[in-house]
Amino acid sequence: MKFGWTIIPLLIIGLAILSMPTVEGQWVSVAIHSTVEAVGATIAILLGCYLLLGLNKDNTWSFPFLGLGFIGMGIFDIFHSMTGPSDSFVFLHSLAGIAGGLGFLSVLLPKWLQNKGKSLASVFLCLAICFAFSLWALNYPNTLPQMHVGMSFSPAAIYLNLLQAFLFLFPLWWFYKERHHLGLTRTYAFLLMGALFSFSGFTFAFSQLWSTSWWLWHLLRLLAYVVALYIIGHANYELHLQVARDKRALEKSNEELDAFAYTASHDLKEPLRGIHNYAQFVLEDYGEVLGDDGKAKLETMCRLSNRLDGLIESLLRFSRLGRQKLVKKDVSAKDIVDGALDSLATAISEKEATVEVAPDLPEVYCDSTLLTQVFQNLVANGLKYNDQKPEIKIACNQTDGQAVFTVEDNGIGIREKHLDAVFKLFKRLNSRKKYGDGLGSGLTLSKKIIERHGGQIWLQSQYGEGTSFYFTLGKKQKA
C-alpha cells in the first residue's frame, strides 16, 4: 500500500471541507459528520481485531488490550455517529477517545498481563461495557454531565478529551524506545497514529461545535484512521510475503528431499542386488554342504532382499512422481480403464472376478500412463483383499461440473479407525500370509498421481462389505 497516494486525496478533501462557505464561522452538516465517524468507527473495529489476534505470524505485534480499546472506540463512535448535537453526542465521542487512549496505554502492561486480553471473558466484558455505556447515554441523557453550552463545550467535555489526548501521548515514548531500533515501518505508523489522535484531543479543547477548528480535529482523527488502514494493509502485505517465503522454502525442502530419496534409493539398489546374488550363488554352489538349516537361512535372506528391493523401487517411483513432468493430453477414460484391465487380465481370470465398467466414461485431460496406474492399483486392491468372488464397478458421475470417478468393490472393507492410514507409504493393514506379500505403496502412489493432476482422492468403506474409492482430476489447464 502506498501511503502517500492514500493520504493526498484525503488532504485535498479535508482542505475542501475547511474552505467551504460557512454561516457565522460554522459549517453544519450532520450527514457528513455521521459518515466520517461511521467510517472511522469501522476502521477502528477492524484494527482492533487485528491487534487482538496479532498483526504478524510470530505474534510480536499482539496487543490484546490495545485491540479491545480500538474495538470499544469503534463501538462508541458508531453510536456517536447515530446521534445529533446533544450531551449524548459529545459524551459518546469522549468515551470513544478514552477507550482508544486506555487501549494505547495498555502497551505498557507486562506481556503476561496483556495476554489475558485474548480471553473470551475480556472480549465479552469489553463489549458489555461499551454497549451498556452507549445505551445509557442514548436512553438517559438527563443523567449525563453537561457536555456543551450552546456551541461551546463544557469543562467536563474539555477535560475528558484532554485526558484522551494524554492517554494517547504518554505511551508514544515506549513505542519509540522499544521498537525504533527494529526499523519497522509499522512502528513509525503507530507513532504517527497515536500522535494524530492525541493532537485531535488537544484541538478539541479550543474548538466549538461546527466551527473550522471542530472540523480540523475531525480531519486529524480521519488521518489517524488512514494510518490505521495503512497498518492493516502493511501487516497483510508482510504476512503475504512471509507465506510466500515459507511456501518457497517448503517447495525447496521437498525438492531436496525428493532428490535425496531418489539418490539414496538408487545407490542402495546396487549393494542390495550384490547381497542377493551372492546369497543365491552360495545357495546354488554350497547348498548341500550347508544343510537344511543353512539353506533355509539363505532362502530367507534372498526373500528379504527381494522385498527390500521392492520397497526401494516403490520409494524410487514415489520420488519420480514428484519430479517428472506430466504428459497430459485429451484421452478417453474408457481406453485408460481398458488398458488397466488388460494388464490385470490374469488376476481377474484366476479370481473369477466380475468387472463392470460404465459405458459413459468421459474424455479426460491427463497423463494416461499415470492414470492407468491409478486404476490398476484400485482394481488390484479389490481383487486382492477379497474373501469372495470379486465384484468391481467402475463409473463416473458429474458433481458440480466436475467428473468424479468411482471404483467400488465387495472386498473385506476397511475399519473406520484405519481410513486415514490407507494412503500412508508402506502401510499395510492386513496379514501378508493371508493376502500376499504386498508393499503397501499402491494407494500412496495413486494419491500422489491424483494430486499431481490437481485432484483429490478419498474413500468410503464398510468393514466386511467393501470399499468405494472416489477421485477427481482437477480442471483442465493446458500449458
Side-chain angles (χ1 to χ4, degrees):
M1 180 186 291
K2 295 184 178 179
F3 185 53
W5 290 110
T6 306
I7 197 171
I8 288 174
L10 284 162
L11 282 173
I12 295 173
I13 294 172
L15 292 173
I17 290 175
L18 295 177
S19 63
M20 291 186 70
T22 60
V23 178
E24 296 181 357
Q26 299 173 353
W27 183 58
V28 180
S29 178
V30 176
I32 293 291
H33 172 267
S34 296
T35 301
V36 170
E37 293 290 354
V39 169
T42 303
I43 297 173
I45 292 174
L46 184 60
L47 178 62
C49 291
Y50 267 75
L51 290 166
L52 188 62
L53 299 174
L55 278 171
N56 62 349
K57 191 176 179 182
D58 61 8
N59 220 30
T60 56
W61 274 87
S62 177
F63 297 107
F65 283 113
L66 177 54
L68 292 176
F70 273 105
I71 291 173
M73 188 177 189
I75 293 173
F76 284 129
D77 267 341
I78 285 177
F79 284 104
H80 167 66
S81 69
M82 295 165 57
T83 61
S86 62
D87 286 336
S88 299
F89 176 80
V90 181
F91 185 70
L92 287 170
H93 160 77
S94 303
L95 288 182
I98 290 174
L102 287 172
F104 228 71
L105 190 65
S106 71
V107 300
L108 303 178
L109 295 174
K111 197 66 178 178
W112 67 268
L113 187 55
Q114 288 188 36
N115 288 333
K116 293 187 178 296
K118 291 183 178 180
S119 67
L120 284 177
S122 297
V123 175
F124 283 124
L125 181 61
C126 170
L127 295 176
I129 291 173
C130 293
F131 279 104
F133 272 87
S134 298
L135 294 174
W136 168 47
L138 291 176
N139 292 292
Y140 303 100
N142 294 332
T143 62
L144 300 176
Q146 187 178 27
M147 303 302 289
H148 72 102
V149 180
M151 293 297 178
S152 299
F153 295 113
S154 70
I158 293 174
Y159 293 150
L160 286 175
N161 281 271
L162 286 176
L163 175 61
Q164 163 205 324
F166 283 110
L167 288 174
F168 274 106
L169 184 63
F170 186 66
L172 294 183
W173 68 270
W174 182 90
F175 268 101
Y176 181 78
K177 176 184 174 183
E178 295 293 325
R179 295 182 177 269
H180 80 280
H181 63 282
L182 300 175
L184 294 175
T185 304
R186 200 184 308 151
T187 297
Y188 297 109
F190 259 92
L191 288 169
L192 178 58
M193 181 180 66
L196 287 169
F197 277 124
S198 180
F199 293 157
S200 72
F202 287 121
T203 309
F204 178 95
F206 305 100
S207 67
Q208 292 184 329
L209 279 170
W210 309 114
S211 66
T212 301
S213 57
W214 190 77
W215 284 108
L216 176 61
W217 62 257
H218 276 84
L219 178 61
L220 291 174
R221 283 169 63 88
L222 189 59
L223 292 177
Y225 284 129
V226 172
V227 177
L229 275 179
Y230 170 78
I231 293 170
I232 295 171
H234 191 268
N236 277 332
Y237 177 69
E238 284 190 339
L239 186 59
H240 174 75
L241 289 180
Q242 184 62 47
V243 170
R245 286 193 293 267
D246 291 347
K247 182 180 179 182
R248 287 194 297 269
L250 181 60
E251 289 174 349
K252 183 179 179 181
S253 176
N254 286 337
E255 290 173 0
E256 292 174 347
L257 184 61
D258 283 343
F260 172 78
Y262 181 84
T263 303
S265 301
H266 186 272
D267 292 345
L268 282 172
K269 287 180 72 69
E270 185 175 350
L272 182 63
R273 192 179 298 114
I275 292 172
H276 177 273
N277 290 339
Y278 273 103
Q280 194 71 37
F281 294 154
V282 172
L283 186 62
E284 293 173 358
D285 297 342
Y286 302 99
E288 295 181 0
V289 177
L290 294 173
D292 293 340
D293 186 57
K295 288 169 64 176
K297 289 178 179 178
L298 283 174
E299 287 171 353
T300 299
M301 181 185 294
C302 290
R303 186 179 71 255
L304 293 177
S305 62
N306 279 332
R307 184 165 184 272
L308 182 55
D309 184 71
L311 292 172
I312 292 174
E313 184 60 34
S314 296
L315 188 59
L316 276 170
R317 290 173 60 195
F318 184 76
S319 177
R320 290 192 195 105
L321 280 176
R323 296 159 57 88
Q324 73 183 77
K325 183 177 180 180
L326 300 184
V327 182
K328 290 186 178 182
K329 59 182 179 180
D330 291 312
V331 61
S332 168
K334 180 70 164 55
D335 292 342
I336 292 176
V337 171
D338 288 343
L341 296 180
D342 285 343
S343 67
L344 296 170
T346 302
I348 292 173
S349 176
E350 290 177 352
K351 287 277 192 174
E352 298 182 350
T354 301
V355 182
E356 180 182 328
V357 181
D360 57 346
L361 296 183
E363 187 176 80
V364 292
Y365 183 64
C366 67
D367 186 313
S368 58
T369 302
L370 293 180
L371 190 59
T372 300
Q373 291 183 34
V374 173
F375 280 108
Q376 285 175 348
N377 291 333
L378 297 181
V379 173
N381 277 352
L383 297 172
K384 184 176 183 180
Y385 300 106
N386 208 314
D387 292 335
Q388 54 188 318
K389 185 177 179 180
E391 294 179 3
I392 298 171
K393 298 179 181 179
I394 301 175
C396 182
N397 297 303
Q398 294 291 329
T399 303
D400 297 329
Q402 189 173 37
V404 180
F405 289 90
T406 306
V407 179
E408 179 182 344
D409 64 57
N410 65 335
I412 61 174
I414 303 170
R415 297 182 189 274
E416 185 176 356
K417 65 180 180 180
H418 295 314
L419 292 179
D420 294 333
V422 296
F423 294 111
K424 293 181 179 180
L425 188 60
F426 304 140
K427 182 69 175 180
R428 286 183 56 91
L429 303 178
N430 302 287
S431 168
R432 287 193 176 91
K433 292 182 179 180
K434 186 174 183 180
Y435 295 106
D437 194 25
L439 298 173
S441 62
L443 290 178
T444 306
L445 294 172
S446 298
K447 184 174 185 290
K448 186 76 169 181
I449 291 170
I450 295 301
E451 289 176 347
R452 285 295 311 276
H453 282 78
Q456 294 179 311
I457 184 169
W458 65 98
L459 74 152
Q460 293 178 351
S461 185
Q462 189 69 33
Y463 185 67
E465 297 183 11
T467 303
S468 297
F469 285 91
Y470 305 88
F471 66 88
T472 61
L473 293 176
K475 296 181 179 178
K476 180 176 180 179
Q477 294 181 342
K478 292 185 178 181

mmCIF file of all heavy atoms in Angstrom, residues 71-91:
data_model
loop_
_atom_site.group_PDB
_atom_site.id
_atom_site.type_symbol
_atom_site.label_atom_id
_atom_site.label_comp_id
_atom_site.label_asym_id
_atom_site.label_seq_id
_atom_site.Cartn_x
_atom_site.Cartn_y
_atom_site.Cartn_z
ATOM 1 N N ILE A 71 -11.596 -1.545 19.535
ATOM 2 C CA ILE A 71 -12.949 -2.070 19.317
ATOM 3 C C ILE A 71 -13.966 -1.237 20.094
ATOM 4 O O ILE A 71 -15.025 -0.865 19.576
ATOM 5 C CB ILE A 71 -13.022 -3.552 19.730
ATOM 6 C CG1 ILE A 71 -12.204 -4.402 18.748
ATOM 7 C CG2 ILE A 71 -14.473 -4.032 19.776
ATOM 8 C CD1 ILE A 71 -12.071 -5.857 19.163
ATOM 9 N N GLY A 72 -13.640 -0.931 21.361
ATOM 10 C CA GLY A 72 -14.520 -0.074 22.153
ATOM 11 C C GLY A 72 -14.652 1.308 21.533
ATOM 12 O O GLY A 72 -15.749 1.888 21.509
ATOM 13 N N MET A 73 -13.558 1.857 21.046
ATOM 14 C CA MET A 73 -13.576 3.159 20.379
ATOM 15 C C MET A 73 -14.532 3.136 19.190
ATOM 16 O O MET A 73 -15.325 4.073 18.988
ATOM 17 C CB MET A 73 -12.158 3.503 19.925
ATOM 18 C CG MET A 73 -11.976 4.899 19.389
ATOM 19 S SD MET A 73 -10.221 5.154 18.978
ATOM 20 C CE MET A 73 -10.235 6.922 18.649
ATOM 21 N N GLY A 74 -14.452 2.056 18.410
ATOM 22 C CA GLY A 74 -15.331 1.939 17.249
ATOM 23 C C GLY A 74 -16.796 1.841 17.638
ATOM 24 O O GLY A 74 -17.667 2.456 17.010
ATOM 25 N N ILE A 75 -17.089 1.066 18.693
ATOM 26 C CA ILE A 75 -18.490 0.920 19.125
ATOM 27 C C ILE A 75 -19.055 2.252 19.593
ATOM 28 O O ILE A 75 -20.166 2.657 19.202
ATOM 29 C CB ILE A 75 -18.578 -0.142 20.242
ATOM 30 C CG1 ILE A 75 -18.234 -1.523 19.681
ATOM 31 C CG2 ILE A 75 -19.974 -0.143 20.869
ATOM 32 C CD1 ILE A 75 -18.120 -2.608 20.730
ATOM 33 N N PHE A 76 -18.307 2.970 20.420
ATOM 34 C CA PHE A 76 -18.785 4.274 20.901
ATOM 35 C C PHE A 76 -18.971 5.241 19.733
ATOM 36 O O PHE A 76 -19.947 6.016 19.698
ATOM 37 C CB PHE A 76 -17.795 4.866 21.902
ATOM 38 C CG PHE A 76 -17.855 4.231 23.270
ATOM 39 C CD1 PHE A 76 -16.698 3.778 23.889
ATOM 40 C CD2 PHE A 76 -19.066 4.085 23.932
ATOM 41 C CE1 PHE A 76 -16.742 3.189 25.141
ATOM 42 C CE2 PHE A 76 -19.125 3.500 25.192
ATOM 43 C CZ PHE A 76 -17.959 3.047 25.798
ATOM 44 N N ASP A 77 -18.041 5.219 18.755
ATOM 45 C CA ASP A 77 -18.157 6.147 17.620
ATOM 46 C C ASP A 77 -19.329 5.802 16.718
ATOM 47 O O ASP A 77 -19.913 6.687 16.083
ATOM 48 C CB ASP A 77 -16.851 6.157 16.813
ATOM 49 C CG ASP A 77 -15.901 7.251 17.273
ATOM 50 O OD1 ASP A 77 -16.379 8.203 17.933
ATOM 51 O OD2 ASP A 77 -14.698 7.170 16.978
ATOM 52 N N ILE A 78 -19.683 4.513 16.636
ATOM 53 C CA ILE A 78 -20.858 4.146 15.840
ATOM 54 C C ILE A 78 -22.116 4.764 16.450
ATOM 55 O O ILE A 78 -22.951 5.369 15.760
ATOM 56 C CB ILE A 78 -20.987 2.610 15.749
ATOM 57 C CG1 ILE A 78 -19.942 2.055 14.781
ATOM 58 C CG2 ILE A 78 -22.390 2.214 15.285
ATOM 59 C CD1 ILE A 78 -19.931 0.546 14.676
ATOM 60 N N PHE A 79 -22.268 4.622 17.780
ATOM 61 C CA PHE A 79 -23.430 5.225 18.445
ATOM 62 C C PHE A 79 -23.359 6.751 18.365
ATOM 63 O O PHE A 79 -24.387 7.419 18.212
ATOM 64 C CB PHE A 79 -23.499 4.766 19.905
ATOM 65 C CG PHE A 79 -24.012 3.366 20.068
ATOM 66 C CD1 PHE A 79 -23.147 2.312 20.348
ATOM 67 C CD2 PHE A 79 -25.367 3.091 19.940
ATOM 68 C CE1 PHE A 79 -23.617 1.026 20.495
ATOM 69 C CE2 PHE A 79 -25.847 1.798 20.091
ATOM 70 C CZ PHE A 79 -24.967 0.759 20.358
ATOM 71 N N HIS A 80 -22.135 7.305 18.458
ATOM 72 C CA HIS A 80 -21.950 8.747 18.340
ATOM 73 C C HIS A 80 -22.407 9.243 16.968
ATOM 74 O O HIS A 80 -23.052 10.300 16.857
ATOM 75 C CB HIS A 80 -20.470 9.074 18.563
ATOM 76 C CG HIS A 80 -20.075 10.466 18.168
ATOM 77 N ND1 HIS A 80 -20.545 11.587 18.805
ATOM 78 C CD2 HIS A 80 -19.235 10.908 17.183
ATOM 79 C CE1 HIS A 80 -20.019 12.669 18.248
ATOM 80 N NE2 HIS A 80 -19.227 12.286 17.255
ATOM 81 N N SER A 81 -22.110 8.480 15.923
ATOM 82 C CA SER A 81 -22.486 8.900 14.565
ATOM 83 C C SER A 81 -23.986 8.846 14.336
ATOM 84 O O SER A 81 -24.498 9.449 13.396
ATOM 85 C CB SER A 81 -21.783 8.015 13.534
ATOM 86 O OG SER A 81 -22.286 6.685 13.563
ATOM 87 N N MET A 82 -24.709 8.126 15.212
ATOM 88 C CA MET A 82 -26.157 7.967 15.040
ATOM 89 C C MET A 82 -26.954 9.060 15.750
ATOM 90 O O MET A 82 -28.186 9.099 15.646
ATOM 91 C CB MET A 82 -26.579 6.593 15.581
ATOM 92 C CG MET A 82 -25.992 5.425 14.802
ATOM 93 S SD MET A 82 -26.118 3.843 15.684
ATOM 94 C CE MET A 82 -27.872 3.728 15.973
ATOM 95 N N THR A 83 -26.272 9.926 16.489
ATOM 96 C CA THR A 83 -26.979 10.954 17.263
ATOM 97 C C THR A 83 -26.694 12.339 16.707
ATOM 98 O O THR A 83 -25.714 12.564 15.992
ATOM 99 C CB THR A 83 -26.544 10.913 18.734
ATOM 100 O OG1 THR A 83 -25.138 11.175 18.803
ATOM 101 C CG2 THR A 83 -26.812 9.550 19.345
ATOM 102 N N GLY A 84 -27.569 13.281 17.050
ATOM 103 C CA GLY A 84 -27.366 14.674 16.688
ATOM 104 C C GLY A 84 -26.745 15.432 17.840
ATOM 105 O O GLY A 84 -26.540 14.882 18.928
ATOM 106 N N PRO A 85 -26.389 16.714 17.630
ATOM 107 C CA PRO A 85 -25.743 17.517 18.683
ATOM 108 C C PRO A 85 -26.539 17.506 19.981
ATOM 109 O O PRO A 85 -27.704 17.904 20.019
ATOM 110 C CB PRO A 85 -25.695 18.917 18.067
ATOM 111 C CG PRO A 85 -25.686 18.670 16.587
ATOM 112 C CD PRO A 85 -26.556 17.476 16.371
ATOM 113 N N SER A 86 -25.923 17.009 21.034
ATOM 114 C CA SER A 86 -26.553 16.908 22.350
ATOM 115 C C SER A 86 -25.471 16.496 23.339
ATOM 116 O O SER A 86 -24.325 16.279 22.966
ATOM 117 C CB SER A 86 -27.684 15.869 22.338
ATOM 118 O OG SER A 86 -27.150 14.590 22.028
ATOM 119 N N ASP A 87 -25.860 16.389 24.611
ATOM 120 C CA ASP A 87 -24.911 15.908 25.604
ATOM 121 C C ASP A 87 -24.487 14.466 25.287
ATOM 122 O O ASP A 87 -23.316 14.098 25.451
ATOM 123 C CB ASP A 87 -25.531 15.968 26.999
ATOM 124 C CG ASP A 87 -25.604 17.399 27.524
ATOM 125 O OD1 ASP A 87 -24.808 18.239 27.057
ATOM 126 O OD2 ASP A 87 -26.464 17.669 28.384
ATOM 127 N N SER A 88 -25.431 13.623 24.831
ATOM 128 C CA SER A 88 -25.104 12.246 24.457
ATOM 129 C C SER A 88 -24.098 12.224 23.314
ATOM 130 O O SER A 88 -23.160 11.412 23.292
ATOM 131 C CB SER A 88 -26.367 11.492 24.041
ATOM 132 O OG SER A 88 -27.296 11.436 25.107
ATOM 133 N N PHE A 89 -24.306 13.128 22.366
ATOM 134 C CA PHE A 89 -23.450 13.248 21.190
ATOM 135 C C PHE A 89 -21.992 13.479 21.603
ATOM 136 O O PHE A 89 -21.070 12.769 21.172
ATOM 137 C CB PHE A 89 -23.992 14.415 20.364
ATOM 138 C CG PHE A 89 -23.213 14.794 19.142
ATOM 139 C CD1 PHE A 89 -23.353 14.081 17.966
ATOM 140 C CD2 PHE A 89 -22.372 15.893 19.148
ATOM 141 C CE1 PHE A 89 -22.657 14.456 16.829
ATOM 142 C CE2 PHE A 89 -21.679 16.270 18.019
ATOM 143 C CZ PHE A 89 -21.826 15.542 16.853
ATOM 144 N N VAL A 90 -21.758 14.447 22.487
ATOM 145 C CA VAL A 90 -20.399 14.792 22.913
ATOM 146 C C VAL A 90 -19.856 13.729 23.870
ATOM 147 O O VAL A 90 -18.674 13.376 23.821
ATOM 148 C CB VAL A 90 -20.380 16.185 23.575
ATOM 149 C CG1 VAL A 90 -18.955 16.559 23.994
ATOM 150 C CG2 VAL A 90 -20.954 17.233 22.627
ATOM 151 N N PHE A 91 -20.734 13.204 24.745
ATOM 152 C CA PHE A 91 -20.301 12.227 25.731
ATOM 153 C C PHE A 91 -19.798 10.937 25.063
ATOM 154 O O PHE A 91 -18.759 10.387 25.440
ATOM 155 C CB PHE A 91 -21.464 11.921 26.683
ATOM 156 C CG PHE A 91 -21.112 11.008 27.817
ATOM 157 C CD1 PHE A 91 -20.282 11.437 28.847
ATOM 158 C CD2 PHE A 91 -21.595 9.704 27.857
ATOM 159 C CE1 PHE A 91 -19.954 10.597 29.901
ATOM 160 C CE2 PHE A 91 -21.272 8.857 28.911
ATOM 161 C CZ PHE A 91 -20.453 9.307 29.931
#
